[in-house]
Amino acid sequence: MNATIQLHELQPAATQDAPVTVHLLQAGDERRWDEFVMQCPQATFFHRAGWKEVIERAFGHRAYFMYAEAAGRICAVLPLAHIRSRLFGNSLSSLPFCVYGGVAGDHAPARAALDQAAIRLARELGVDHLEYRNLEPQHADWPSKALYVTFRKEIEADDEANMQAIPRKQRAMVRKGIKFGLQSEIDNDTERFFAAYSASVHRLGTPVFSRKYFRVLAEVFGQDCEVLTITKDGQTVSSVMSFYFRDEVLPYYGGGNASARDLAANDFMYWELMRRAAARGIRIFDFGRSKQGTGSFDFKKNWGFTPQPLHYEYQLLRAQSVPDTNPLNPKYQLMIKTWKRMPLWAANLIGPHIVKNLG
């Protein structure tokens, strides 16, 4: 299938000023794409052009990043990636491995043209479903899933104001970490982070991403991808990889070793991230996606963040129902229990081959 030719053959939709045409992102277009994303109110860090390279290099999946153009200007973008898996199905999503996605742009004809192009591509690829991971609802007539929420909150420039905004019990946990003499450091690589993260997800019974994935993230996004590591007496206790976008910070992947809980290291870690981000002018702390009814959900809510529903919308093609590939699904419980008992070295070896198809 020559998707590039077929997408360019779409009939343009008329607008008041100029016809809209849909194109695939090509090498050399990245700067134009990102310039649009940086000024588009509906866009997120996960709409950046670099995700195409990350997904293709780290996982080997084909990415289709579409943009709609009118009068020589980009009006809307839609990043998509195709995952075909015998175990987890065949999908086209915006965007796998990301919590937000969907069409970004407020130009109605451009949005409609991208929807049409995405549905056409989904049919050509023969996928089970097309998925948009929206912050806000976009298609009232599409099936949706209300499993996830996100936690976003404004932060102040003043450390004491941010500390006082944390509810009392959670604030006590942060101060507990401070009293233990924990230290925070910005890392130049992902090695300490991977050790803390992989140990943490193994305890949860979750397959781990590959070391390569995190190296590619750091390489592609540069200074907008930062690793903060927490130490006690020079030894790594916990670590978090965060993304920076406009005036937002998004702690995205994190974890700690077995002593992190007793040392309140994760509480201290997120406080240190908030403190450092505020000092560099960041004003939105995005705690990211959690499933309702989980420990992660409760942890973020305890910080004084209000859960905001995410609107994951679907076009069902071959599928009869909305997909349910998440750890809360009872059919995965045996797999999770087995994974927890597996040696860490084996989990780190096998995990990346599984998780790359989950999206």
Side-chain angles (χ1 to χ4, degrees), residues 33-310:
W33 176 292
D34 279 342
E35 285 175 349
F36 172 80
V37 165
M38 291 303 291
Q39 58 81 34
C40 175
Q42 296 81 27
T44 71
F45 180 81
F46 305 102
H47 288 88
R48 287 188 53 176
W51 282 101
K52 182 177 189 296
E53 181 180 353
V54 168
I55 289 170
E56 292 183 341
R57 282 180 55 191
F59 303 111
H61 301 311
R62 179 72 188 274
Y64 301 85
F65 276 39
M66 303 177 181
Y67 64 92
E69 189 176 52
R73 300 182 63 182
I74 295 177
C75 303
V77 299
L78 174 61
L80 292 159
H82 179 210
I83 297 180
R84 182 188 289 116
S85 166
R86 290 184 179 179
L87 185 60
F88 301 111
N90 188 1
S91 64
L92 182 66
S93 300
S94 181
L95 193 63
F97 313 105
C98 300
V99 296
Y100 312 139
V103 177
D106 59 6
H107 189 283
R111 295 180 63 91
L114 286 172
D115 282 344
Q116 294 167 15
I119 293 170
R120 176 173 174 175
L121 177 61
R123 289 179 176 144
E124 291 169 354
L125 293 172
V127 302
D128 301 323
H129 65 268
L130 167 68
E131 176 188 37
Y132 286 1
R133 300 181 175 183
N134 301 317
L135 265 169
E136 302 292 340
Q138 302 295 337
H139 304 87
D141 57 336
W142 288 25
S144 62
K145 180 165 62 178
L147 176 65
Y148 298 106
V149 299
T150 190
F151 293 83
R152 293 165 55 85
K153 183 179 178 182
E154 291 188 13
I155 59 175
E156 306 293 334
D158 180 68
D159 286 350
E160 186 59 26
N162 289 326
M163 179 68 84
Q164 291 303 317
I166 303 171
R168 181 177 58 82
K169 289 185 178 180
Q170 188 60 47
R171 190 164 66 240
M173 294 299 294
V174 173
R175 288 180 167 150
K176 179 180 177 181
I178 295 172
K179 289 178 181 178
F180 274 123
L182 300 179
Q183 300 293 317
S184 65
E185 305 170 8
I186 301 298
D187 282 358
N188 294 320
D189 58 43
T190 59
E191 291 306 305
R192 294 196 297 179
F193 159 79
F194 185 81
Y197 157 80
S198 61
S200 184
V201 298
H202 181 249
R203 290 196 301 275
L204 295 172
T206 304
V208 68
F209 285 105
S210 68
R211 293 175 184 270
K212 178 182 179 180
Y213 173 50
F214 297 111
R215 289 197 298 265
V216 172
L217 281 171
E219 178 183 334
V220 169
F221 293 116
Q223 65 182 7
D224 293 330
C225 176
E226 180 183 87
V227 172
L228 179 70
T229 296
I230 306 304
T231 63
K232 168 69 172 173
D233 299 328
Q235 300 299 310
T236 300
V237 182
S238 60
S239 189
V240 60
M241 175 179 279
S242 303
F243 302 135
Y244 285 86
F245 179 71
R246 295 194 290 234
D247 65 343
E248 305 175 12
V249 61
L250 301 85
Y252 202 62
Y253 296 109
N257 63 22
S259 66
R261 183 182 182 90
D262 291 339
L263 293 171
N266 288 333
D267 309 270
F268 176 79
M269 177 175 71
Y270 291 116
W271 164 249
E272 276 295 284
L273 176 64
M274 185 181 293
R275 184 184 65 80
R276 287 170 175 266
R280 61 188 277 182
I282 298 301
R283 292 296 170 262
I284 299 292
F285 194 94
D286 187 330
F287 236 145
R289 183 181 82 176
S290 289
K291 302 176 191 71
Q292 299 186 59
T294 64
S296 172
F297 176 97
D298 292 339
F299 179 80
K300 295 170 184 178
K301 194 173 181 180
N302 289 343
W303 276 74
F305 285 63
T306 301
Q308 303 171 36
L310 288 175

Side-chain angles (χ1 to χ4, degrees), residues 342-357:
M342 187 181 298
L344 180 59
W345 67 265
N348 286 352
L349 181 66
I350 300 169
H353 301 286
I354 296 174
V355 75
K356 75 174 186 178
N357 292 316

